[in-house]
Amino acid sequence: MSLDDLYREVILDHYRSPHNKGQVEGAQVDLEMLNPTCGDEIRLTLGIEEGVVRDVRFVGKGCSISMASASMMTDAIKGRSLPEAERLIEGFRAMMRGEEDREDLGELEALQGVAKFPVRIKCATLAWDTLQKGLAGRNGTH
Ligand code: ZN
């Protein structure tokens, strides 16, 4: 199995069986965003306590890349501190810019091939855009 095939399998697995679906009760972040070029939609909820992402869930519909990216993003940031989450956002953006000199993103590396298809980059970044905007608009709650 080639690396491309492996990455394709990881994306399809997350698309078929997304992780962290649903809504966090009493969420500190609750935000919906769209990617109109593809029709992807996501609603992201986060439970944040003492500067740590205690729980994160999403609901949405869209293409396999947008939903797989959301599923992998929620796995990646759960249990992380807010600065760590911000660093992951930056790392993911660097990967989408095709940068070689960046940190290893683990399972998220499955989406690196998307960087070669500019029209699909917004699909992959939708969940991350929502996360970043949600964290920025938090009004200092803990
Ligand atoms: Zn899409």
Side-chain angles (χ1 to χ4, degrees):
M1 190 185 266
S2 75
L3 197 57
D4 278 353
D5 289 338
L6 180 67
Y7 284 165
R8 200 169 297 126
E9 275 304 305
V10 170
I11 291 168
L12 285 175
D13 276 354
H14 275 273
Y15 177 57
R16 293 189 192 111
S17 312
H19 302 181
N20 306 306
K21 282 284 282 225
Q23 289 171 38
V24 175
E25 293 282 327
Q28 279 76 42
V29 170
D30 184 346
L31 189 65
E32 269 183 87
M33 279 180 74
L34 308 174
N35 168 25
T37 58
C38 182
D40 308 316
E41 301 176 19
I42 183 173
R43 180 177 175 192
L44 185 68
T45 49
L46 285 94
I48 297 167
E49 284 170 37
E50 293 170 355
V52 172
V53 179
R54 295 290 178 205
D55 200 4
V56 50
R57 295 185 178 276
F58 81 100
V59 290
K61 57 179 195 220
C63 66
S64 55
I65 290 171
S66 66
M67 293 298 109
S69 183
S71 176
M72 283 188 255
M73 181 275 281
T74 55
D75 274 352
I77 66 158
K78 201 170 195 170
R80 302 277 193 145
S81 70
L82 296 182
E84 285 171 338
E86 296 281 353
R87 216 177 64 222
L88 277 169
I89 292 169
E90 281 314 306
F92 192 81
R93 291 198 191 289
M95 183 168 77
M96 286 299 110
R97 289 193 297 266
E99 287 176 22
E100 306 272 329
D101 184 21
R102 55 173 178 79
E103 65 181 303
D104 190 308
L105 294 173
E107 193 179 42
L108 292 162
E109 300 281 334
L111 288 163
Q112 67 174 262
V114 175
K116 293 180 209 131
F117 303 96
V119 73
R120 309 307 303 276
I121 290 174
K122 278 190 174 6
C123 300
T125 58
L126 177 63
W128 298 84
D129 292 344
T130 311
L131 173 65
Q132 190 165 39
K133 195 171 174 195
L135 292 178
R138 234 167 20 92
N139 295 328
T141 47
H142 291 282

